[in-house]
Structure formats: structure tokens, C-alpha cells
Amino acid sequence: MIITTTNNIENYSIKRYLGVVNANIVIGANFFSDFAASLTDVFGGRSNTYQNKLNTIYKEVMAELKAKAKSFQADAIVGLHIDLSLIHISEPTRLRR
């Protein structure tokens, strides 16, 4: 399957648009990840912990997008846009009945 961030694919013509595919992935960081990243903030360098998490997110979202596009019998995904956002919860969450 061809996946591109552009709105067209060189040497191909889009016969019809089948719909929009989207994917949402939520992944949590734990205390140890945050601690390791804070050390990187102090001493400099790259945070392998967070880089690995971002790579995991990317792989999961791409797999989900491909599966959804295939369910439309699509040959390609055009105009791909990936947005990463931070959700910060300052207090422990509690499940309520």
C-alpha cells in the first residue's frame, strides 16, 4: 500500500476517494520513564525511553491506518498527517461507579 503525505501520487491517478481513515493511540509513560527522561533533561542527550515509545506509537498507528484503508479496499492513503499530543493528568484518576 502506498502511503504519502502529499495529496497526489506521481505517475498515478486517483480514481475515487473512499473516505477518511483515522487512528488514535494512547500510550502511558510510567514513573521510571519519566525519571530517566528527567536525567536526560539535566545532563543532556537523547531520551531512548521516549524515543522508543514514539516509535511504538508510530508503528501502531501506521498498522491501524493500513488495516482501516484495506477495509475500504483502498490502494493508497494520501494526505497523511500524524499529530502527537501530550495528555497530562496531574492527579491520580479514580474510577467512579
Side-chain angles (χ1 to χ4, degrees):
M1 175 172 295
I2 297 171
I3 301 175
T4 181
T5 57
T6 62
N7 292 324
N8 55 30
I9 302 168
E10 194 171 331
N11 299 323
Y12 288 89
S13 62
I14 297 173
K15 296 190 184 211
R16 69 187 162 120
Y17 293 90
L18 303 173
V20 176
V21 292
N22 70 323
N24 296 296
I25 304 293
V26 177
I27 188 167
N30 60 34
F31 170 78
F32 298 107
S33 298
D34 288 341
F35 180 72
S38 68
L39 291 176
T40 302
D41 288 344
V42 171
F43 297 110
R46 300 173 102 176
S47 172
N48 287 332
T49 304
Y50 283 148
Q51 283 183 286
N52 291 337
K53 286 187 180 291
L54 288 171
N55 287 334
T56 299
I57 291 169
Y58 180 79
K59 288 175 186 173
E60 287 181 19
V61 78
M62 293 305 288
E64 190 171 329
L65 288 171
K66 286 178 188 177
K68 287 182 177 182
K70 284 182 182 179
S71 74
F72 285 121
Q73 298 179 338
D75 298 321
I77 299 173
V78 296
L80 176 68
H81 174 79
I82 296 177
D83 185 24
L84 299 173
S85 298
L86 172 67
I87 301 171
H88 179 74
I89 300 171
S90 59
E91 298 178 13
T93 57
R94 297 180 198 183
L95 296 177
R96 297 182 184 188
R97 292 182 189 195

